[in-house]
């Protein structure tokens, strides 16, 4: 996608071949900064501190982390160590393990002298496949949006509610949940997006609003609390979110608060779609609430916040009384029964084992 | 309630009889500041800017606003003007109209020479009645909490989830939703409160956490997004909130986001109680979603936030990209079907016309 007229991905190998470069997402929307990462430790820190975030981008970053490991030392022990280090960065997104396993397998299968090249090749492939998957999700989702727009007699605007950031910044390019929005917008559907600010990290306010603004998609920032009211009053035509891990049975782990929006969509008969590339589907799991590990992060992400002061610089302010403890849970699980459908790169399906088996027969067979 | 050992109400007539004093709730938790208000315009501004807030306290402040109007000029035209000015400050809480109508009726019935005295007397009565009602709500709610505690075999702790601030700061004293919590805590039940931060004004983080901290009630601050996850995992024994206006049929208008918590409580079989003094019940209304006016406030309450910087001073920071519009809806309506029961000063009842008729036969008869 473009930033002020220049095309960017969120991650790419540096021109000198000795590092990886990423957009530093902790600085947006106040500053657009490119960060150069040269070691496994730097990649791990970037994932942990959310310089890069979003399940697909975490996978891609981990891929390049393995390539950097190979560059330093392509021996099995070092590859295994890098796998362990990177896997420990964040627990919920399954793309991380998916990408790391794939990288390790590819590296180990290669002879020592070509491991570095093989690793960079596979990391690039993971990125390109992500872009292709998101483009396909965009197509399939666009068809759903277009059908709703026709149902609305193509009058007024088509209102999407989204939570967190599942836009191009969460992926290598295009986004998952926002790919259909960009496609529909570019095709002339008057899409308007209600953007949950997404406390406590405010990815909606900081990243989704910024993305949509840069691409010219009409949008309105709202508090996470507001979605129920909007749904109750017919102001939302569909809810569209991403996922960090979806079970083979269709339960969806996504940013904390997603479950509440799914309940409200269901209560008001509004479709709730989840954009789920297969890299985020954990076919072996059956019970999302019990089986998906949910990350707990530093409470200061809730009690302190960074913003821009009048001078244009940023500052951190404290929001809560000194002495009040806080709990910061990163994700929740939306049961499959609340999900209208999954939008995958292979098409749209029921959020169920049967639905997924139709599109991914090879995966559901082995995962059961 | 006590602040650092000194007993306070949230509003009281000044010692010199020429003004009203209030705790400035826009300064908490960073500073404890008493504000002196001397005119109707100052009272109206204090309500509008949320120096005083919370449905019962808004009613009490409006009462004293009418008394200040009488003090300046006790003629009917001035009383009517004050009624109009104060009624226009905020649309959702019905206590405002309830208190203003009662004040005007009392003032008009009095001869000119005793109107001022009559007005101060009625305003004080509204305050005292609020305290008595909240104390009674505390008793009835304590019984509910105690029953849940017994059901839990009196083991571990009893977890309450609350939204916004319905504590003593929202009333003259004691609070509505927090009155049962204080009672249960003081009676030795190990109550623990999950406090929704309550975006965008953060009344949970700023006021509820502060109140609970000052009284020594164990609590944990959470993002508004987190309640669904906690309910799903059995971490909440009951949800307990206040109300700005409840219809005669039991629909509950309360701080934006309440409806989402009610859906999650219902989805997980956890009781959802609303502390509703009769002053906040609009017996004449039947359909909360359609009939209760919902306040829309300045979008900057969402895109900017005040907090404490390292020096101990406060600063305002911007949270969203310049150019992204925002919508700030103050309240939502929880349909009666999601409300386990209302806790009123006369006891606990179904959130229904029949339930309310049993406790308030005089009001439901005239209101239908």
């Amino acid at each position: 996608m473009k930033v002020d007229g220049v095309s960017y991905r969120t991650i790419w190998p540096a021109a000198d071949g000795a590092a990886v470069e990423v957009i530093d997402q902790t600085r947006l929307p106040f500053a657009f900064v490119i960060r150069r990462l040269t070691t496994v430790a730097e990649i791990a820190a970037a994932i942990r501190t959310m310089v890069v975030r979003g399940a697909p981008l975490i996978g891609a970053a981990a891929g390049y982390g393995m390539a950097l490991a190979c560059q330093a030392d392509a021996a099995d022990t070092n590859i295994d160590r890098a796998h362990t280090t990177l896997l420990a960065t964040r627990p919920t997104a399954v793309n991380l393990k998916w990408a790391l396993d794939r990288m390790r397998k590819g590296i180990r299968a290669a002879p020592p002298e070509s491991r570095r090249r093989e690793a960079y090749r596979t990391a690039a492939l993971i990125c390109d496949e992500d872009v292709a998957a998101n483009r396909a999700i965009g197509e399939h989702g666009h068809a759903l949006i277009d059908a709703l727009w026709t149902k609305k007699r193509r009058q007024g605007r088509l209102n999407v509610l989204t939570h967190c950031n599942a836009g191009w910044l969460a992926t290598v390019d295009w986004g998952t949940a926002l790919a259909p929005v960009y496609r529909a917008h570019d095709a002339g559907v008057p899409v308007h997006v209600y953007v949950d600010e997404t406390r406590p990290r405010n990815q909606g306010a900081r990243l989704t609003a910024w993305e949509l603004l840069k691409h010219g998609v009409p949008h309105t920032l709202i508090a996470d609390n507001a979605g129920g009211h909007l749904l109750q009053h017919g102001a939302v035509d569909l809810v569209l979110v991403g996922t960090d891990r979806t079970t083979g049975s269709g339960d969806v782990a996504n940013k904390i608060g997603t479950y509440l929006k799914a309940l409200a969509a269901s209560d008001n008969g509004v479709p709730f779609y989840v954009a789920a590339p297969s890299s985020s589907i954990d076919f072996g799991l059956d019970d999302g609430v019990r089986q998906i590990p949910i990350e707990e992060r530093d409470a200061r992400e809730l009690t302190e916040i960074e913003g821009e002061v009048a001078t244009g610089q940023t500052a951190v302010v404290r929001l809560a009384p000194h002495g009040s403890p806080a709990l910061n849970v990163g994700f929740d699980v939306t049961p499959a029964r609340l999900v209208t459908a999954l939008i995958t790169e292979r098409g749209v399906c029921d959020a169920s084992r049967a639905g997924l088996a139709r599109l991914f027969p090879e995966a559901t067979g082995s995962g059961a």
Side-chain angles (χ1 to χ4, degrees), chain A:
Chain A
M1 304 291 284
K2 290 189 176 179
V3 179
D4 301 331
V6 180
S7 284
Y8 280 95
R9 284 185 171 188
T10 53
I11 187 167
W12 60 91
D16 63 8
V20 178
E21 292 180 345
V22 298
I23 298 170
D24 185 345
Q25 302 196 21
T26 65
R27 305 293 301 279
L28 290 170
F30 308 115
F32 184 79
V33 175
I34 306 297
R35 281 274 293 271
R36 181 179 167 93
L37 307 170
T38 56
T39 63
V40 173
E42 284 180 7
I43 292 272
I47 295 173
R48 206 163 31 233
T49 61
M50 295 173 71
V51 166
V52 289
R53 29 63 57 196
L57 176 54
I58 288 172
Y64 275 113
M66 292 293 276
L68 290 173
C70 268
Q71 187 167 299
D73 172 3
D76 284 5
T77 50
N78 192 49
I79 299 310
D80 287 347
R81 197 180 306 126
H83 186 288
T84 304
T85 300
L86 292 164
L87 187 59
T89 51
R90 297 193 68 192
T92 302
V94 75
N95 310 57
L96 180 61
K97 183 169 191 306
W98 169 87
L100 289 170
D101 287 353
R102 180 169 169 184
M103 290 295 301
R104 181 162 62 180
K105 194 174 166 188
I107 293 165
R108 287 194 163 211
E113 67 279 9
S114 59
R115 282 186 165 184
R116 181 182 172 282
R117 200 180 53 204
E118 167 62 22
Y120 271 100
R121 196 191 63 78
T122 306
L125 197 61
I126 286 174
C127 289
D128 289 345
E129 286 176 9
D130 182 61
V131 176
N134 297 338
R135 195 179 288 126
I137 285 171
E139 299 278 355
H140 301 307
H142 175 204
L144 289 176
I145 287 177
D146 209 57
L148 287 166
W149 179 229
T150 300
K151 194 175 154 197
K152 211 177 175 178
R153 299 180 186 187
R154 298 182 175 262
Q155 292 191 345
R157 64 184 190 185
L158 201 280
N159 292 293
V160 177
L161 171 64
T162 194
H163 190 65
C164 197
N165 174 264
W168 74 270
L169 290 171
T171 65
V172 177
D173 207 350
W174 279 101
T176 54
L178 292 191
V181 168
Y182 289 126
R183 287 298 308 230
H185 171 82
D186 292 350
V189 179
V191 187
H192 167 266
V193 185
Y194 283 110
V195 179
D196 275 356
E197 63 171 340
T198 318
R199 289 283 294 146
R201 293 276 309 205
N202 280 34
Q203 293 94 333
R206 297 186 69 136
L207 305 178
T208 300
W210 182 82
E211 269 197 50
L212 294 172
L213 194 64
K214 288 287 172 191
H215 196 75
V217 180
H219 63 282
T220 303
L221 186 65
I222 56 172
D224 302 306
N225 284 325
H229 173 81
L230 294 174
L231 282 156
Q232 232 174 10
H233 288 269
V236 176
D237 297 301
L238 73 158
V239 182
L240 187 46
V241 299
T243 176
D244 294 83
R245 188 186 307 210
T246 287
T247 65
S249 56
D251 293 341
V252 173
N254 191 46
K255 184 56 52 197
I256 191 84
T258 302
Y259 166 50
L260 296 171
K261 297 305 142 62
L263 285 166
S266 170
D267 199 47
N268 292 284
V270 171
F272 180 90
Y273 292 114
V274 177
S278 59
S279 59
S280 66
I281 301 174
D282 196 343
F283 290 97
L285 299 189
D286 272 312
D287 183 336
V289 173
R290 292 188 190 186
Q291 294 178 310
I292 298 176
I294 299 295
E295 179 177 13
E296 195 180 313
R297 295 181 62 87
D298 193 323
R300 280 178 304 181
E301 292 186 351
L302 185 64
T303 57
E304 300 176 0
I305 198 163
E306 184 197 48
E308 190 185 60
V309 293
T311 59
Q313 293 179 297
T314 56
V316 173
V317 298
R318 184 175 174 86
L319 303 176
H322 295 276
S324 284
L327 174 69
N328 180 13
V329 184
F331 302 89
D332 64 19
V333 173
T334 298
R337 65 185 151 85
L338 299 173
V339 178
T340 306
L342 303 175
I343 310 173
T344 79
E345 69 271 29
R346 293 196 192 165
V348 176
C349 72
D350 277 356
S352 67
R353 200 159 276 285
L356 283 167
R358 191 170 56 75
L359 297 181
F360 300 94
E362 77 285 12
T364 42
S366 66

